[in-house]
Amino acid sequence: MFFHPMDIFIFLALGISIWAQFKVKGNFNKWSEVKTRTGLSGAEAARQILDSNGLHNVPIEVVPGMLSDHYDPIKRVVRLSEPVYYGRSIASVSVAAHEVGHAIQHQQSYTALVLRHRIFPMANFASGVAPFLFIGGFLLQQLSLIGIGIVFFSAAVAFQLITLPVEFDASKCAKNLMLSEGILFNDEEHGVKKVLNAAALTYVAGALMAVFELLKFVMIFLQGNAEE
């Protein structure tokens, strides 16, 4: 079966994902040109928020790449790309504060973050194995392999869904802290929302695509069982 009705929704989610990627880059580039009135860099804003929340021992490292920013929960390090680390723009401090939001979630044992960390090894393994099971199931016409693939792929989809509240909460935390810490003023919040909301959309699109793909394989599996 080369085409399935669910492919329409998968292609739609893929389109949203591609559009979201353009929005992320476009909004980051646009608001990178708008300097913060406080003059703080991304690294300085991150350090201020970390220290004010008792995270003095969490270091900030600069890493190469564009939008390669992330929080490492294993080493407890906030890593910022060069444009974010050194930049003194609304985009830079917004992204930096978002990553610090994950560090604060870790400190507070935020439920969704803890769960995501626990299932990551299994989800990572499952996402690599599932495609081979699906391919083997179709080539050998073995529904049992497709069924096992569905179980594995479900773990990967669960990881994607759990990621959504983690990212949304980190962005909410970032917005509130930047205002309460005096890093940004109220009239600069519009830019923050543009940058962070565009990034959040990429996670939503990814989760949608994963869910639709899972539903597709479930429908194929159920249809195959019904025909036997």
Side-chain angles (χ1 to χ4, degrees):
M1 182 179 293
F2 294 97
F3 178 80
H4 189 275
M6 286 303 299
D7 287 334
I8 297 174
F9 298 98
I10 294 172
F11 289 137
L12 178 61
L14 177 61
I16 295 173
S17 179
I18 295 172
W19 176 73
Q21 291 291 341
F22 279 110
K23 290 288 290 182
V24 168
K25 293 179 180 178
N27 278 307
F28 183 83
N29 290 335
K30 175 182 178 180
W31 293 98
S32 288
E33 300 297 323
V34 182
K35 303 300 180 183
T36 60
R37 283 159 58 188
T38 59
L40 291 175
S41 67
E44 291 167 344
R47 184 75 271 158
Q48 180 177 325
I49 298 174
L50 286 168
D51 290 346
S52 66
N53 284 273
L55 295 171
H56 307 281
N57 295 327
V58 174
I60 304 169
E61 298 177 353
V62 60
V63 293
M66 180 69 174
L67 296 176
S68 53
D69 315 88
H70 63 279
Y71 169 68
D72 186 336
I74 298 176
K75 296 185 177 180
R76 292 181 177 254
V77 175
V78 172
R79 297 195 175 100
L80 304 177
S81 61
E82 292 180 356
V84 171
Y85 189 96
Y86 297 109
R88 298 182 182 276
S89 66
I90 289 178
S92 297
V93 297
S94 297
V95 173
H98 175 86
E99 299 308 329
V100 170
H102 289 309
I104 294 173
Q105 288 175 333
H106 196 175
Q107 177 197 41
Q108 298 175 345
S109 296
Y110 179 62
T111 303
L113 183 71
V114 172
L115 183 58
R116 187 175 75 166
H117 289 170
R118 288 179 178 175
I119 72 169
F120 173 74
M122 178 178 63
N124 190 43
F125 173 77
S127 63
V129 172
F132 294 102
L133 291 170
F134 289 137
I135 293 173
F138 287 122
L139 291 178
L140 302 175
Q141 296 186 343
Q142 291 291 323
L143 280 176
S144 58
L145 287 178
I146 295 176
I148 297 172
I150 289 172
V151 174
F152 276 90
F153 192 50
S154 295
V157 174
F159 180 83
Q160 294 255 30
L161 294 175
I162 293 169
T163 294
L164 294 180
V166 173
E167 296 299 328
F168 291 149
D169 181 76
S171 290
K172 179 182 177 181
C173 179
K175 295 171 190 175
N176 293 336
L177 287 172
M178 282 189 289
L179 292 174
S180 64
E181 292 284 333
I183 294 170
L184 291 179
F185 295 92
N186 288 327
D187 59 349
E188 296 175 303
E189 188 178 2
H190 175 70
V192 176
K193 290 180 179 179
K194 286 290 186 179
V195 173
L196 297 184
N197 288 350
L201 184 59
T202 63
Y203 291 101
V204 173
L208 278 175
M209 191 155 52
V211 169
F212 290 146
E213 287 177 342
L214 178 61
L215 288 175
K216 171 185 174 178
F217 291 119
V218 169
M219 291 170 67
I220 291 173
F221 179 77
L222 293 177
Q223 182 179 357
N225 275 330
E227 291 176 351
E228 286 186 350

